[in-house]
Amino acid sequence: MTVRHPCRDDFPALLREFDGQPISYLDNAATTLKPRPVIQAVTEYYETNGANIHRGRHRLSEEASDAYEAARVVIARHLGAPANEVVLVRNTTEALNLVAGGLELPPDAYVVGCLDAHHSQLLPWRRAGRLETTRVDEHGRLDREHFRTLLRGRPRVVALTHCSNVTGVVHPVAELVAEVRAACDAVIVLDAAQSLPHRRIDVQELDVDFMAFSMHKMLGPTGVGVLFGRSERLARLRPLSVGGGMVDWVDLDGSVDRRIPYRFEAGTPAIASVIGSAAAIRYLEEQDTPRQHQHARELCAALVGGAVARPGVRLIGPPGTAGRIALASLRLDDRIPAGEVARLLSDSYGYMVRSGHMCAQPLVSGMAGGEVLRVSAYLYNDVPEIEGFYQALDELLSWIAPAAATGEKLS
């Protein structure tokens, strides 16, 4: 009998079936499913309140404001940060754009990035300055010597990626930060969108100036991104958006911005989603046990082992399990469209996986030569699901590969 992870019952979406086939959700690097406590927190706000925050003195507004700010405190505590160093935005992309634009760099400012960066940690810096990216080796690990060479140019900003959403590699960020601090006085901006769902980060120990992540990748609702920033850095950052909610006073001659972090939070925010994010953090912290960490290692081993054992599949990333999360990007034969395979896995077998360039096209094009199939597991997944996925992939490829070899169109 298959043993199911006990927390699976907390996720209503996993009860769905397609044509009588239970679904297996393996697209967690894109977005995670939501547990009942998160859904209930969001629903409770809409059912019992629904008022705006920070703008009214009536009872409902004050209750909503208190719940919103309490959620900020929960998120801040999870990071080991003061609440006034946590800016609530829409997503990681907005957070990184806020920093890239808010630093007001000169057009020729030298910025060091990483080749395996998500487009959200690549394009804002390309727009803000002169970006050079650190190379990676054949398995997607950073070329440390090349990184040191780039640092000798004394960059104004170093934009780091903690974990690649393509290779699953977790970079030794503490070591990289130490090298940056020893080489120059660059502002260090960390994209933690893929790493924080799997491991806590204490910003009192990790000496970064800014860190961005999204709640929807760690069991929270969509529409909430978080920017952590040192208070002295935030104080010098120019707001990306202006308008209601971020000012204390406006007259015909000028305006006075609110204190940090509120000056960066113009307009009505995603109130219910922020409240739901606090429930997600609490749920994650309850799951932060040695047994769960072992479970994550088992998922990673199943994903990597299943890939390296198959001759018709090429794993994009390290062939081992050390220093990576439970994620595997697979390159199929050039004649087999990854998108079509993803659709068939979903419609015929109930496996939800991702296909494409993963919003990291320079890396995927360089390492894979084309689109990949990405399988990413999370705490509610089980090893038998991974094994079942590979069995389904084997079956599909057994008839797709011969058809592709003859040029026959898949349907």
Side-chain angles (χ1 to χ4, degrees):
M1 183 177 68
T2 300
V3 178
R4 300 171 71 252
H5 194 285
C7 80
R8 285 180 65 90
D9 291 337
D10 293 337
F11 295 84
L14 292 175
L15 300 176
R16 292 194 62 187
E17 295 183 352
F18 293 165
D19 299 325
Q21 175 72 50
I23 69 167
S24 179
Y25 187 79
L26 293 168
D27 191 21
N28 295 285
T31 271
T32 56
L33 302 180
K34 318 307 172 196
R36 294 185 192 278
V38 172
I39 297 168
Q40 290 166 356
V42 171
T43 303
E44 182 180 358
Y45 164 76
Y46 284 123
E47 286 184 341
T48 65
N49 194 303
N52 212 327
I53 62 169
H54 299 162
R55 301 201 181 131
R57 296 302 182 193
H58 60 78
R59 182 74 170 269
L60 288 182
S61 179
E62 290 187 344
E63 286 180 357
S65 299
D66 289 346
Y68 187 91
E69 291 305 323
R72 190 194 305 272
V73 171
V74 170
I75 296 169
R77 286 176 179 168
H78 189 70
L79 306 176
N84 72 332
E85 294 186 339
V86 170
V87 182
L88 300 172
V89 292
R90 294 178 301 169
N91 43 51
T92 304
T93 301
E94 183 177 17
L96 294 171
N97 273 276
L98 170 56
V99 179
L103 288 174
E104 297 186 284
L105 299 171
D108 62 345
Y110 176 41
V111 178
V112 170
C114 304
L115 180 60
D116 66 344
H118 190 280
H119 292 164
S120 297
Q121 181 72 321
L122 183 73
L123 298 181
W125 300 111
R126 183 181 289 175
R127 171 179 288 185
R130 176 173 56 87
L131 176 67
E132 291 195 38
T133 56
T134 308
R135 295 189 296 259
V136 297
D137 65 18
E138 61 179 332
H139 297 311
R141 300 196 184 280
L142 284 184
D143 181 336
R144 298 288 291 277
E145 190 54 45
H146 186 230
F147 181 67
R148 296 182 189 107
T149 298
L150 295 179
L151 291 182
R152 293 188 191 109
R154 303 191 64 79
R156 295 280 296 271
V157 175
V158 175
L160 297 174
T161 295
H162 198 177
C163 176
S164 167
N165 73 324
V166 175
T167 65
V169 167
V170 180
H171 297 300
V173 170
E175 296 177 15
L176 298 174
V177 168
E179 291 187 7
V180 175
R181 294 302 186 211
C184 59
D185 58 355
V187 176
I188 301 177
V189 184
L190 179 66
D191 177 356
Q194 288 297 333
S195 60
L196 196 59
H198 299 273
R199 59 183 67 188
R200 291 184 71 166
I201 297 173
D202 187 337
V203 296
Q204 299 304 317
E205 297 179 1
L206 188 62
D207 184 22
V208 296
D209 297 297
F210 296 100
M211 183 176 75
F213 60 95
S214 291
M215 288 306 307
H216 72 91
K217 294 182 186 292
M218 45 197 297
L219 305 183
T222 55
V224 180
V226 178
L227 175 66
F228 159 77
R230 306 286 175 193
S231 56
E232 63 273 16
R233 293 291 188 183
L234 287 173
R236 297 195 294 270
L237 199 67
R238 180 175 181 266
L240 186 66
S241 300
V242 295
M246 53 78 63
V247 288
D248 275 332
W249 183 265
V250 181
D251 58 30
L252 294 179
D253 297 317
S255 61
V256 178
D257 291 350
R258 295 183 70 187
R259 67 186 188 277
I260 61 170
Y262 305 108
R263 69 177 59 169
F264 305 108
E265 299 177 357
T268 296
I271 302 168
S273 292
V274 168
I275 294 170
S277 294
I281 292 290
R282 287 191 287 266
Y283 187 94
L284 272 180
E285 290 177 348
E286 291 172 0
Q287 299 292 324
D288 188 10
T289 65
R291 177 68 191 94
Q292 183 57 45
H293 296 165
Q294 176 60 30
H295 179 63
R297 289 190 290 269
E298 292 168 359
L299 292 171
C300 183
L303 279 170
V304 174
V308 299
R310 282 164 169 78
V313 169
R314 179 162 63 93
L315 177 66
I316 307 303
T321 59
R324 66 178 300 154
I325 62 171
L327 177 156
S329 290
L330 313 174
R331 177 61 175 166
L332 308 178
D333 185 283
D334 290 347
R335 296 164 294 186
I336 299 176
E340 186 65 14
V341 172
R343 184 186 67 81
L344 290 168
L345 284 166
S346 165
D347 296 356
S348 299
Y349 299 91
Y351 289 100
M352 310 296 137
V353 300
R354 179 68 52 138
S355 62
H357 290 101
M358 307 302 124
C359 294
Q361 194 163 359
L363 180 72
V364 172
S365 296
M367 292 189 68
E371 294 187 349
V372 296
L373 200 68
R374 187 182 68 189
V375 193
S376 50
Y378 206 40
L379 52 85
Y380 40 70
N381 294 119
D382 291 302
V383 168
E385 283 184 274
I386 309 299
E387 296 169 343
F389 158 77
Y390 279 118
Q391 291 169 6
L393 182 63
D394 288 343
E395 185 173 309
L396 274 179
L397 294 181
S398 70
W399 65 266
I400 290 178
T406 61
E408 181 180 338
K409 185 176 181 180
L410 302 178
S411 61

